[in-house]
Amino acid sequence: MVISLAKRDLITIEDLSNQEIEAVFALADEMAEGLREQSNVCRGMIMASLFFEPSTRTRMSFEAAMNRLGGRVISVMEMRNTSLAKGESIADMARVVGSYADIIVIRHPWEGAARVVADYADVPVINAGDGGHEHPSQTLLDLYTIKKERKTLEGLKIALWGDLKYGRTVHSLAYALARFGATMHFRPSAGFEMPEHVIRKLTAEYAGRLERYNGPKEEKEKGLIPLDAIYVTPSGPHQLANIPAVGIQIELEKGVDALYVTRLQKERFEPSAEGLKKGYPVVDKKLFKEKGFKETIVMHPLPRVGELAYEMDSDPRSMYFKQAAGGVPIRMALLSLLLGCKTVDIPESKVPSFAKKMEHPVYKRETGVKCQNEKCVSVQETEREYIKHEFQIVSNEPLTLRCVYCEHEIHPPYIASSKWHQGLVENKRYYKADSFMLGRIKPENLIIFNSEEKAQHQGFKLGKRVKPVGNAK
Ligand code: NCD
């Protein structure tokens, strides 16, 4: 069945189904076979390349890809060269650039910025990295490399290494691997663990089973032992029989298919990372003598800054330069699909395309509930005026809201119902979010407050029934 991806955005890796990802790879193979023969595919098209953070590989491979396809590129590389420096909003920039170009590729330090561009531009938008959030086109070329080396994407064992907190590439990669039924070992440097909101998605939405490390603390501190492991079966909810009945350490000795190394994202936090860098694990020949790594390929999105020894370059298991080279055919395939210059052919039997995406109720009332992530686009001074705070209600125990822009979570303390007050001031009551009242209010009627003052300011009084859920009889 022929499917068009024309006009679609790629903001998160979840925007593509597994079958669409495989179809991008098939087209990338075709492109790779004749890189110089594609110069009519996107003739007459313009790509806007907006990179407001440093980039070598991503920007140049996108630009090389568009050039190889016969299209043209307009670009800006620094915020200070645009009207953003004059205080222009991302939304206004997006509208304007969308009227100059046929597709926009954007890298920006604020988490959720690419989503805002997609909301306001009339052309397809590709997220080339939004702060520490996601980097989905990098994931495409990471998976492409894994598939080439391992011949499949299903059911692999992958270790993610280094800065899992701020590394956007590992967030997108983990979501994709989960959908292909991977077992993942997380080996963060101390203090740079996978964020809880990412773990929640992997466990709740991809039915992954989480195993936390509970071995000796000293071993953990050495940084070589995975802190957590996630096991996912490709077909959805776990059948217990499929879960390996072994601990993380035993799993480790059996080896992993790929070790994905990342650098410390020192530009994303204060104070300076120099002290932290001391404990950062290094991948070198000595480590790769370990039994568990015998068949393991080494990957890295690059740039490397000390965590991956140069002596590994001659090792046949090292894949990072090959990985980077895949960026051009992958991005050629992606651009030509989103521009509608190519279509994908997906076998009929495989068409139920999305690995069932979980739908959550949305909360977007103006009650002062804001994202707490200071890097989120929704809380920036230039964007605050027009961006409406919007969340998915991802859990009721405890009440958990996920920001639709950066995906960070908040746990607001007070709730009320819009149904019950019906304009009668005396009926306006608010309750604690951990009381059983939460279960009584339909999501569409839910009103959420950050503080009692906010609730009272809007005319609500504290309701009587405020017992926490656990005590409810
Ligand atoms: C990565 C990025 O920008 O997130 N690089 C890349 O796109 N190749 C990884 C990094 O900068 O560490």
Side-chain angles (χ1 to χ4, degrees):
M1 185 175 157
V2 175
I3 290 186
S4 167
L5 302 188
K7 301 206 161 49
R8 294 249 301 259
D9 302 308
L10 181 64
I11 304 305
T12 147
I13 194 65
E14 295 178 301
D15 290 334
L16 291 173
S17 71
N18 291 10
Q19 291 75 25
E20 286 163 352
I21 291 176
E22 299 263 17
V24 171
F25 294 170
L27 184 56
D29 282 343
E30 239 178 72
M31 299 283 180
E33 262 169 44
L35 279 185
R36 294 186 180 80
E37 288 142 37
Q38 314 299 331
S39 57
N40 281 323
V41 177
C42 295
R43 187 161 294 281
M45 301 274 191
I46 292 181
M47 175 184 101
S49 163
L50 310 177
F51 278 74
F52 301 122
E53 270 193 342
S55 171
T56 305
R57 274 151 291 273
T58 307
R59 185 177 65 81
M60 292 190 73
S61 62
F62 264 115
E63 295 185 0
M66 193 57 177
N67 280 306
R68 293 245 182 245
L69 292 166
R72 293 186 180 249
V73 179
I74 52 176
S75 60
V76 276
M77 282 190 294
E78 285 195 70
M79 218 157 326
R80 61 175 181 183
N81 291 339
T82 70
S83 287
L84 293 182
K86 301 181 194 164
E88 183 173 46
S89 68
I90 292 184
D92 284 359
M93 177 198 68
R95 280 199 174 112
V96 173
V97 178
S99 70
Y100 298 160
D102 301 290
I103 191 162
I104 298 175
V105 178
I106 175 148
R107 169 169 288 190
H108 197 286
W110 295 338
E111 300 179 8
R115 179 166 306 283
V116 175
V117 176
D119 287 346
Y120 287 88
D122 278 340
V123 296
V125 174
I126 300 175
N127 179 8
D130 57 337
H133 179 221
E134 279 214 45
H135 190 353
S137 71
Q138 177 69 38
T139 294
L140 289 177
L141 62 104
D142 295 341
L143 294 177
Y144 189 58
T145 309
I146 296 174
K147 173 135 195 221
K148 287 245 170 301
E149 297 307 313
R150 291 289 172 239
K151 307 290 174 244
T152 178
L153 287 175
E154 306 277 337
L156 295 170
K157 258 200 273 174
I158 314 280
L160 303 179
W161 177 289
D163 182 352
L164 307 188
K165 184 172 180 186
Y166 297 104
R168 53 195 172 200
T169 64
V170 282
H171 302 158
S172 300
L173 183 59
Y175 298 142
L177 287 172
R179 289 189 354 215
F180 285 100
T183 292
M184 284 171 263
H185 294 165
F186 300 150
R187 303 188 195 194
S189 179
F192 295 91
E193 290 81 17
M194 198 56 113
E196 282 306 315
H197 67 271
V198 177
I199 300 238
R200 173 195 300 280
K201 218 182 216 182
L202 295 173
T203 50
E205 270 151 68
Y206 298 116
R209 187 183 64 105
L210 173 70
E211 185 188 331
R212 296 266 186 205
Y213 176 76
N214 57 7
K217 203 164 153 257
E218 314 78 69
E219 287 298 310
K220 190 171 99 178
E221 275 160 8
K222 276 195 221 153
L224 300 182
I225 299 290
L227 208 55
D228 303 315
I230 300 256
Y231 306 98
V232 194
T233 46
S235 52
H238 261 310
Q239 285 154 16
L240 280 171
N242 290 342
I243 299 171
V246 289
I248 293 173
Q249 273 153 301
I250 300 169
E251 276 290 291
L252 191 64
E253 277 171 31
K254 287 202 284 174
V256 286
D257 292 294
L259 175 63
Y260 190 95
V261 189
T262 59
R263 77 180 164 95
L264 187 68
Q265 306 282 302
K266 65 177 191 309
E267 68 274 35
R268 306 225 179 278
F269 55 88
E270 298 285 339
S272 115
E274 285 320 304
L276 295 160
K277 220 167 161 193
K278 280 192 198 119
Y280 208 80
V282 176
V283 172
D284 54 16
K285 275 202 163 146
K286 186 164 156 265
L287 176 79
F288 259 67
K289 286 209 174 86
E290 273 182 29
K291 196 166 130 236
F293 293 125
K294 217 165 126 209
E295 310 279 328
T296 302
I297 58 167
V298 190
M299 300 176 67
H300 194 308
L302 302 175
R304 62 174 151 181
V305 286
E307 67 287 341
L308 176 55
Y310 280 84
E311 62 186 24
M312 287 303 293
D313 295 0
S314 55
D315 191 301
R317 291 167 292 185
S318 293
M319 291 298 147
Y320 28 93
F321 290 116
K322 214 168 161 187
Q323 190 183 343
V328 174
I330 281 287
R331 288 173 171 131
M332 285 170 81
L334 184 64
L335 289 169
S336 59
L337 288 166
L338 301 186
L339 282 165
C341 303
K342 290 272 184 188
T343 49
V344 287
D345 204 355
I346 294 178
E348 203 80 43
S349 60
K350 290 200 168 174
V351 165
S353 70
F354 274 90
K356 241 186 171 268
K357 230 177 165 183
M358 202 178 258
E359 296 290 335
H360 297 288
V362 169
Y363 183 77
K364 50 180 174 186
R365 282 178 203 272
E366 303 233 11
T367 52
V369 182
K370 280 194 260 173
C371 182
Q372 302 294 305
N373 171 15
E374 60 183 30
K375 311 255 173 68
C376 179
V377 67
S378 70
V379 299
Q380 306 304 323
E381 212 177 309
T382 45
E383 320 303 314
R384 276 200 305 241
E385 242 182 83
Y386 68 94
I387 293 186
K388 303 267 174 282
H389 295 282
E390 191 176 326
F391 303 88
Q392 292 175 319
I393 306 174
V394 292
S395 174
N396 266 1
E397 290 174 20
L399 177 60
T400 308
L401 303 190
R402 178 195 287 155
C403 171
V404 298
Y405 297 100
C406 70
E407 301 196 283
H408 280 233
E409 295 176 347
I410 51 171
H411 302 286
Y414 297 101
I415 54 163
S417 169
S418 62
K419 196 73 196 277
W420 294 348
H421 64 77
Q422 291 173 333
L424 297 172
V425 176
E426 60 273 30
N427 288 348
K428 288 177 92 171
R429 301 271 175 230
Y430 69 91
Y431 304 92
K432 283 192 170 171
D434 64 359
S435 72
F436 66 89
M437 294 305 286
L438 180 60
R440 295 245 179 122
I441 302 171
K442 285 194 188 141
E444 63 270 28
N445 297 332
L446 193 61
I447 303 178
I448 299 174
F449 301 109
N450 266 341
S451 65
E452 296 203 64
E453 293 74 64
K454 280 261 155 58
Q456 288 163 6
H457 184 72
Q458 290 181 39
F460 288 82
K461 290 201 184 74
L462 185 62
K464 282 194 192 109
R465 290 176 284 184
V466 289
K467 277 185 212 156
V469 178
N471 300 338
K473 290 248 163 68

mmCIF file of all heavy atoms in Angstrom, residues 57-58 107 135 138 168-169 263 265 301-303, ligand 1:
data_model
loop_
_atom_site.group_PDB
_atom_site.id
_atom_site.type_symbol
_atom_site.label_atom_id
_atom_site.label_comp_id
_atom_site.label_asym_id
_atom_site.label_seq_id
_atom_site.Cartn_x
_atom_site.Cartn_y
_atom_site.Cartn_z
ATOM 1 N N ARG A 57 27.413 17.920 12.139
ATOM 2 C CA ARG A 57 26.827 16.812 11.386
ATOM 3 C C ARG A 57 25.375 17.048 10.973
ATOM 4 O O ARG A 57 25.008 16.853 9.820
ATOM 5 C CB ARG A 57 26.863 15.522 12.219
ATOM 6 C CG ARG A 57 28.135 14.762 12.097
ATOM 7 C CD ARG A 57 28.354 13.999 13.379
ATOM 8 N NE ARG A 57 28.639 14.957 14.433
ATOM 9 C CZ ARG A 57 29.850 15.423 14.708
ATOM 10 N NH1 ARG A 57 30.873 14.965 14.047
ATOM 11 N NH2 ARG A 57 30.046 16.323 15.643
ATOM 12 N N THR A 58 24.562 17.448 11.933
ATOM 13 C CA THR A 58 23.125 17.508 11.636
ATOM 14 C C THR A 58 22.850 18.565 10.569
ATOM 15 O O THR A 58 22.193 18.305 9.565
ATOM 16 C CB THR A 58 22.327 17.787 12.926
ATOM 17 O OG1 THR A 58 22.718 16.821 13.891
ATOM 18 C CG2 THR A 58 20.838 17.683 12.688
ATOM 19 N N ARG A 107 16.912 23.653 14.931
ATOM 20 C CA ARG A 107 17.561 23.249 16.189
ATOM 21 C C ARG A 107 17.506 24.472 17.105
ATOM 22 O O ARG A 107 17.857 25.586 16.685
ATOM 23 C CB ARG A 107 19.008 22.839 15.942
ATOM 24 C CG ARG A 107 19.774 22.674 17.223
ATOM 25 C CD ARG A 107 21.120 22.028 17.010
ATOM 26 N NE ARG A 107 20.993 20.617 16.690
ATOM 27 C CZ ARG A 107 22.027 19.784 16.655
ATOM 28 N NH1 ARG A 107 23.244 20.220 16.901
ATOM 29 N NH2 ARG A 107 21.847 18.514 16.370
ATOM 30 N N HIS A 135 15.625 14.374 19.515
ATOM 31 C CA HIS A 135 16.397 14.580 18.292
ATOM 32 C C HIS A 135 16.056 13.416 17.360
ATOM 33 O O HIS A 135 16.858 12.512 17.138
ATOM 34 C CB HIS A 135 17.889 14.599 18.654
ATOM 35 C CG HIS A 135 18.819 15.032 17.566
ATOM 36 N ND1 HIS A 135 18.408 15.262 16.265
ATOM 37 C CD2 HIS A 135 20.157 15.259 17.590
ATOM 38 C CE1 HIS A 135 19.467 15.615 15.545
ATOM 39 N NE2 HIS A 135 20.536 15.624 16.324
ATOM 40 N N GLN A 138 18.208 12.066 14.284
ATOM 41 C CA GLN A 138 19.411 11.352 14.717
ATOM 42 C C GLN A 138 19.043 9.893 15.023
ATOM 43 O O GLN A 138 19.772 8.967 14.673
ATOM 44 C CB GLN A 138 19.997 12.021 15.971
ATOM 45 C CG GLN A 138 21.209 11.308 16.559
ATOM 46 C CD GLN A 138 22.458 11.387 15.689
ATOM 47 O OE1 GLN A 138 22.722 12.422 15.073
ATOM 48 N NE2 GLN A 138 23.221 10.297 15.618
ATOM 49 N N ARG A 168 19.572 14.487 24.355
ATOM 50 C CA ARG A 168 18.298 14.339 23.633
ATOM 51 C C ARG A 168 18.303 13.128 22.711
ATOM 52 O O ARG A 168 17.268 12.538 22.442
ATOM 53 C CB ARG A 168 18.022 15.609 22.840
ATOM 54 C CG ARG A 168 19.174 16.020 21.924
ATOM 55 C CD ARG A 168 18.991 17.445 21.449
ATOM 56 N NE ARG A 168 20.154 17.948 20.734
ATOM 57 C CZ ARG A 168 20.395 19.234 20.562
ATOM 58 N NH1 ARG A 168 19.579 20.133 21.043
ATOM 59 N NH2 ARG A 168 21.456 19.635 19.890
ATOM 60 N N THR A 169 19.506 12.758 22.216
ATOM 61 C CA THR A 169 19.534 11.624 21.277
ATOM 62 C C THR A 169 19.092 10.334 21.971
ATOM 63 O O THR A 169 18.398 9.519 21.381
ATOM 64 C CB THR A 169 20.941 11.409 20.668
ATOM 65 O OG1 THR A 169 21.843 11.051 21.712
ATOM 66 C CG2 THR A 169 21.452 12.634 19.971
ATOM 67 N N ARG A 263 28.218 12.116 25.126
ATOM 68 C CA ARG A 263 29.085 13.030 25.876
ATOM 69 C C ARG A 263 28.278 13.731 26.968
ATOM 70 O O ARG A 263 27.040 13.772 26.892
ATOM 71 C CB ARG A 263 29.720 14.069 24.938
ATOM 72 C CG ARG A 263 28.780 15.150 24.550
ATOM 73 C CD ARG A 263 29.339 16.195 23.634
ATOM 74 N NE ARG A 263 28.208 16.915 23.081
ATOM 75 C CZ ARG A 263 27.716 18.051 23.583
ATOM 76 N NH1 ARG A 263 28.292 18.630 24.604
ATOM 77 N NH2 ARG A 263 26.663 18.612 23.041
ATOM 78 N N GLN A 265 26.543 16.684 28.389
ATOM 79 C CA GLN A 265 25.956 17.849 27.699
ATOM 80 C C GLN A 265 26.196 19.089 28.558
ATOM 81 O O GLN A 265 25.258 19.654 29.126
ATOM 82 C CB GLN A 265 24.462 17.617 27.483
ATOM 83 C CG GLN A 265 24.122 16.325 26.763
ATOM 84 C CD GLN A 265 24.359 16.411 25.265
ATOM 85 O OE1 GLN A 265 23.795 17.261 24.596
ATOM 86 N NE2 GLN A 265 25.195 15.531 24.742
ATOM 87 N N PRO A 301 26.639 9.576 18.839
ATOM 88 C CA PRO A 301 26.101 10.541 17.875
ATOM 89 C C PRO A 301 27.152 11.577 17.457
ATOM 90 O O PRO A 301 26.972 12.271 16.460
ATOM 91 C CB PRO A 301 24.956 11.207 18.645
ATOM 92 C CG PRO A 301 25.287 11.033 20.091
ATOM 93 C CD PRO A 301 26.057 9.739 20.186
ATOM 94 N N LEU A 302 28.248 11.657 18.244
ATOM 95 C CA LEU A 302 29.321 12.640 18.061
ATOM 96 C C LEU A 302 28.762 14.066 18.254
ATOM 97 O O LEU A 302 27.582 14.258 17.999
ATOM 98 C CB LEU A 302 30.004 12.493 16.701
ATOM 99 C CG LEU A 302 30.630 11.106 16.439
ATOM 100 C CD1 LEU A 302 31.160 11.032 15.008
ATOM 101 C CD2 LEU A 302 31.766 10.813 17.435
ATOM 102 N N PRO A 303 29.508 15.019 18.696
ATOM 103 C CA PRO A 303 30.949 14.977 18.926
ATOM 104 C C PRO A 303 31.318 14.224 20.218
ATOM 105 O O PRO A 303 30.534 14.182 21.151
ATOM 106 C CB PRO A 303 31.292 16.464 19.080
ATOM 107 C CG PRO A 303 30.044 17.092 19.622
ATOM 108 C CD PRO A 303 28.918 16.338 19.013
HETATM 109 C C1 NCD B 1 24.066 15.316 19.204
HETATM 110 C C2 NCD B 1 23.155 16.487 19.515
HETATM 111 O O1 NCD B 1 23.315 17.567 18.981
HETATM 112 O O2 NCD B 1 22.270 16.268 20.339
HETATM 113 N N1 NCD B 1 24.873 15.506 18.082
HETATM 114 C C3 NCD B 1 24.394 15.283 16.830
HETATM 115 O O3 NCD B 1 23.321 15.707 16.472
HETATM 116 N N2 NCD B 1 25.140 14.534 16.027
HETATM 117 C C4 NCD B 1 24.814 14.847 20.385
HETATM 118 C C5 NCD B 1 25.663 15.804 21.147
HETATM 119 O O4 NCD B 1 25.767 16.986 20.822
HETATM 120 O O5 NCD B 1 26.258 15.355 22.115
#
